[in-house]
Amino acid sequence: MTIRTGTGTGTANANGTKPATGAGAGAAEGVAAGAAAGAGAPAAPGVAAGAVLRRDALHGSLGSPAMGSINFLNEVMGRFPDAISFAPGAPHTSFFAEIDTARHTARYLRHLEEERGLGREQAERLLYQYGPSRGLINGLVADALRTDQGIDVPPESLVITVGCQEAMLLALRALVASPADLVAVVNPCFVGLSGAASVLGVDLVPVDDTEEDTGGTGGTEGGIDFAQLDEVCRAARRAGRRIRALYAAPDFSNPSGGFMSLEARHRLLAVAEREDFLVLEDNAYAFTAEQPGALPPLKALPGGERVVHLGTFAKVCMPGARVGYVVADQPVRDASGRTGLLADELATLKSMVTVNTSPLSQAVIGGILLEHGGSLASVVRAKAELYQRNLRLLLDALDRGLGPGTGAPAGVSWNRPRGGFFVRVRLPVAADERLLERSAREFGVLWTPMSHFYLGDGGDRELRLACSYLDPDTIEEGVVRLTRFLHAVCP
């Protein structure tokens, strides 16, 4: 069983435990040694001579690949501003014209006055003051989840978070209680999850994803290697450990665009029941599914009581609001016999992390929900159509430039997601950071190395293309540049 240790800088011992590192035991000696080593060295500009720290005396997660990947891509984009970038999975900027934060906030204030009976001054104070850690718009979000996704949970089972990223961090921190606890992840994995695990010192175990051509539908379905998942669970038990949770994005995952079939969803929930672990379901891209063709989230299926559902309003409303949520309706019983919800525990953790999610940001999202009758179905429809259009344009351009009969280099292939923001391309050469720099400098096109998303080895001959925030002409020209690049570097 392969385990990536929580710092992301080493491997586990034979018994599955982490070796001591400079970020834990011995860190104090590292600081002292750093002070001694730096005694005669010149200080960096603007830094006092006695304040120079050794990098290896800081927390080990700072050196993990997941932590550095986003900064690296931003740095490359900054150095090559004229390059067409397939790197960021950002929402399309055309939708920002629809946003009127003053109007949305006013609509939410009216809701507080009319539906909750607050005076104007009380309502405004609610937005200007610190707020409850659990959130303000829980009831509105619960109603939308029930209407749009079939997730029927009470408002108290939700915590409104600072983006989905905080939801991931809180869930990991609450569920991983001891060094014996492991979190399995579908590999490749979103760097936000693996990075949060690294910061928290949570050990991850990869379970490979799978791809299957759906034939006449012209798409690719993805899933989980269930045989490997079974072996991971057995290996954990042999090592005196346990799989506490599994992270998966069943709908058009970042980075691979994988889409889990209905059969695979039911099977995953059955394995979770048998092996007694929870599923952390990331639902960020489900709204981009073609209609008909959308499948219910894991949380809405039989067995969904084992699912902690993670969501965000970044893609469907406004990324700058930084509003996400976590549905955690699992009962928690304390030593006295009192029973609460996992959401209660997450809210307690949040009070020590971000205190509360910005009430003003929540008012904007709440106002958008209210303006659309408590459902986001009409909001996401136009957005889904644009993202589906961009995805079709990208796949068609790849077919014309690199498909059969084009004289494309041997060994270049890609999957065909039916939704989401991303396409996964396989190459006959290493798609590393050096090749990316050459791609940007000589050919004016950027992409993301897939190795950034893998736990351990893997993805070194794969790249990710994101098409969400690009316009049609830019997608077309970007693939033309990518085609020239691949002809130049592939044998």
Side-chain angles (χ1 to χ4, degrees):
M1 175 176 61
T2 301
I3 299 174
R4 198 181 85 170
T5 59
T7 60
T9 58
T11 56
N13 292 323
N15 64 359
T17 60
K18 291 187 294 181
T21 69
E29 291 86 343
V31 172
V47 177
V52 178
L53 304 177
R54 271 180 45 183
R55 177 68 178 274
D56 60 4
L58 302 177
H59 192 263
S61 66
L62 293 170
S64 73
M67 297 289 282
S69 60
I70 295 175
N71 287 338
F72 168 74
L73 289 172
N74 288 337
E75 185 267 333
V76 172
M77 289 175 63
R79 285 195 290 117
F80 300 100
D82 295 328
I84 292 175
S85 181
F86 288 107
H92 199 278
T93 58
S94 63
F95 295 116
F96 297 164
E98 305 168 2
I99 296 170
D100 184 337
T101 56
R103 189 186 78 236
H104 303 324
T105 302
R107 178 64 185 89
Y108 183 68
L109 283 169
R110 193 164 77 249
H111 164 76
L112 293 177
E113 294 176 68
E114 296 174 354
E115 302 298 324
R116 301 207 13 208
L118 300 182
R120 184 69 178 190
E121 185 177 343
Q122 288 178 297
E124 290 180 345
R125 190 182 305 129
L126 198 62
L127 303 191
Y128 302 157
Q129 188 55 274
Y130 293 116
S133 294
R134 185 181 296 276
L136 294 174
I137 60 172
N138 306 54
L140 295 174
V141 176
D143 289 345
L145 288 173
R146 187 177 305 109
T147 301
D148 296 341
Q149 300 185 43
I151 297 175
D152 190 2
V153 293
E156 56 267 25
S157 69
L158 280 86
V159 178
I160 308 302
T161 56
V162 181
C164 192
Q165 186 65 38
E166 187 189 25
M168 294 177 185
L169 186 141
L170 295 176
L172 289 172
R173 181 63 291 158
L175 294 176
V176 177
S178 81
D181 291 337
L182 297 167
V183 173
V185 300
V186 179
N187 198 38
C189 174
F190 172 50
V191 293
L193 186 283
S194 57
S198 183
V199 168
L200 294 171
V202 171
D203 290 350
L204 301 180
V205 184
V207 179
D208 291 339
D209 69 354
T210 60
E211 282 186 3
E212 180 180 350
D213 191 339
T214 54
T217 65
T220 306
E221 286 190 351
I224 301 176
D225 186 333
F226 283 103
Q228 187 181 18
L229 176 57
D230 289 343
E231 176 53 32
V232 160
C233 292
R234 288 193 295 268
R237 284 194 293 273
R238 288 195 299 268
R241 307 184 77 176
R242 64 169 178 168
I243 302 299
R244 188 70 176 93
L246 178 141
Y247 168 81
D251 295 285
F252 316 116
S253 62
N254 180 6
S256 63
F259 182 77
M260 196 179 294
S261 69
L262 185 59
E263 178 186 2
R265 294 175 195 229
H266 284 295
R267 187 174 178 184
L268 174 58
L269 293 173
V271 174
E273 175 70 24
R274 186 190 73 218
E275 297 291 344
D276 190 25
F277 61 73
L278 297 179
V279 178
L280 305 180
E281 177 184 27
D282 185 342
N283 195 42
Y285 302 97
F287 76 98
T288 65
E290 293 178 342
Q291 302 294 339
L295 293 179
L298 295 170
K299 187 64 182 173
L301 293 173
E305 61 273 6
R306 285 195 168 270
V307 177
V308 177
H309 186 81
L310 311 168
T312 178
F313 292 102
K315 309 297 189 296
V316 298
C317 291
M318 177 181 167
R322 300 303 300 135
V323 175
Y325 58 89
V326 53
V327 179
D329 59 341
Q330 291 75 21
V332 176
R333 184 176 295 110
D334 66 18
S336 70
R338 186 184 69 86
T339 300
L341 295 175
L342 179 58
D344 302 330
E345 312 302 328
L346 299 185
T348 299
L349 283 173
K350 179 178 171 62
S351 70
M352 293 292 111
V353 179
T354 56
V355 183
N356 61 272
T357 300
S358 165
L360 284 169
S361 290
Q362 292 186 70
V364 171
I365 300 303
I368 293 173
L369 286 167
L370 290 163
E371 288 176 4
H372 293 85
S375 166
L376 288 176
S378 61
V379 177
V380 304
R381 191 174 300 121
K383 297 181 179 182
E385 289 173 356
L386 183 145
Y387 296 133
Q388 290 162 8
R389 178 206 71 184
N390 276 13
L391 188 58
R392 287 193 300 270
L393 290 172
L394 175 58
L395 292 171
D396 289 347
L398 289 170
D399 288 340
R400 290 194 303 273
L402 295 163
T406 63
V412 177
S413 63
W414 54 91
N415 64 345
R416 307 190 71 85
R418 291 177 291 170
F421 289 8
F422 310 106
V423 172
R424 178 185 193 174
V425 181
R426 293 180 171 87
L427 306 181
V429 296
D432 55 18
E433 294 175 357
R434 290 180 60 187
L435 196 68
L436 173 59
E437 180 136 352
R438 181 182 174 190
S439 177
R441 183 179 62 253
E442 297 181 21
F443 298 90
V445 62
L446 284 161
W447 36 266
T448 305
M450 280 288 290
S451 58
H452 290 182
F453 301 95
Y454 276 81
L455 274 65
D457 296 331
D460 59 321
R461 294 190 171 204
E462 300 176 9
L463 58 86
R464 188 194 75 175
L465 300 178
C467 59
S468 52
Y469 87 119
L470 298 174
D471 293 321
D473 291 346
T474 308
I475 292 173
E476 186 72 31
E477 174 60 22
V479 174
V480 168
R481 297 182 186 187
L482 181 71
T483 299
R484 289 199 296 263
F485 160 68
L486 292 178
H487 275 283
V489 302
C490 296

